[in-house]
Amino acid sequence: SADFAAARAVDGLFVTRWSPAAAEQNPWITVDLGTVHALSHVVLLWGEFYPTSYVLQGATVSDAWSNLAVVLGSSELLRSDLPRPTFARWVRVLTQGSGDLRLWEFQVFEDSETPVTTVTTEPTTEATTTSTATAATVATTEAPSTSAATTATTEVPETTVVTTTVTTVPGPSTTTPFYGPNLAFQKPVLSSSFRSATEHAYKAVDGDLESQWASVPLNDQWLWV
């Protein structure tokens, strides 16, 4: 249903989820990163409804998938390190089997130490050169002189190699009323419980001093970021 659409797995909220149809065989979910990136690792949170295993796949061209890792399912927060270098624009989680699956979070992390190289070929251009033969003397023999001009046309392909170093651009942060960047600002969070629909865990890291996270009134409540 719309409440469990694929977008719910990448909204940064641990309280929303993607769920495929229970009868679907080998359901999958794909994220489009917009451009090709160098990738470091993938983090998934299934909770108690997880597949027996799944395959992480990547593609730089649509539907040209390569297997990056095979992972055993678990209810824990799973981090899968990818082989270096790994380049992809699309990343897919292909599950094995069927049943009730619930993916709460799907995160893909960039490898900031690996440069992405893009090779582009510009249209072929024509270069025209004109050479003029003149009188020449070899030893004591005078060669006939000529003033006829000859024109040669040569096709020169031009190839441009552009190398871009991938860097991690920090997102917005709040410094009020404290000094320095808040590293927890708008990062994924998980809590043991929440008291109401307006007091979810992410309210604690939204940078708004007027919002809050509140748990149910029980002991040993916790918040994870």
Side-chain angles (χ1 to χ4, degrees), residues 61-220:
V61 179
S62 181
D63 293 329
W65 297 106
S66 298
N67 292 343
L68 305 177
V70 178
V71 188
L72 294 178
S74 171
S75 61
E76 302 295 327
L77 194 69
L78 293 175
R79 167 175 171 155
S80 301
D81 292 324
L82 304 178
R84 296 183 66 183
T86 290
F87 300 100
R89 170 176 171 173
W90 292 271
V91 179
R92 180 166 72 173
V93 178
L94 177 61
T95 67
Q96 305 300 301
S98 62
D100 186 6
L101 300 178
R102 302 179 184 181
L103 181 60
W104 297 89
E105 197 63 23
F106 179 9
Q107 302 174 353
V108 181
F109 292 84
E110 193 169 56
D111 183 357
S112 60
E113 298 180 358
T114 300
V116 175
T117 301
T118 304
V119 178
T120 58
T121 302
E122 301 296 335
T124 301
T125 59
E126 291 186 351
T128 302
T129 59
T130 302
S131 60
T132 302
T134 58
T137 302
V138 179
T140 57
T141 303
E142 195 174 87
S145 62
T146 177
S147 59
T150 59
T151 301
T153 300
T154 306
E155 290 188 352
V156 181
E158 296 182 354
T159 301
T160 303
V161 178
V162 180
T163 302
T164 304
T165 301
V166 178
T167 57
T168 301
V169 180
S173 62
T174 178
T175 59
T176 305
F178 308 103
Y179 294 100
N182 176 11
L183 298 180
F185 179 58
Q186 293 186 344
K187 292 298 188 293
V189 292
L190 185 64
S191 65
S192 53
S193 67
F194 56 92
R195 185 171 61 185
S196 70
T198 61
E199 297 171 309
H200 278 297
Y202 68 88
K203 295 290 187 178
V205 295
D206 61 3
D208 184 356
L209 298 181
E210 301 299 322
S211 64
Q212 67 181 17
W213 164 65
S215 70
V216 296
L218 296 175
N219 293 332
D220 301 322

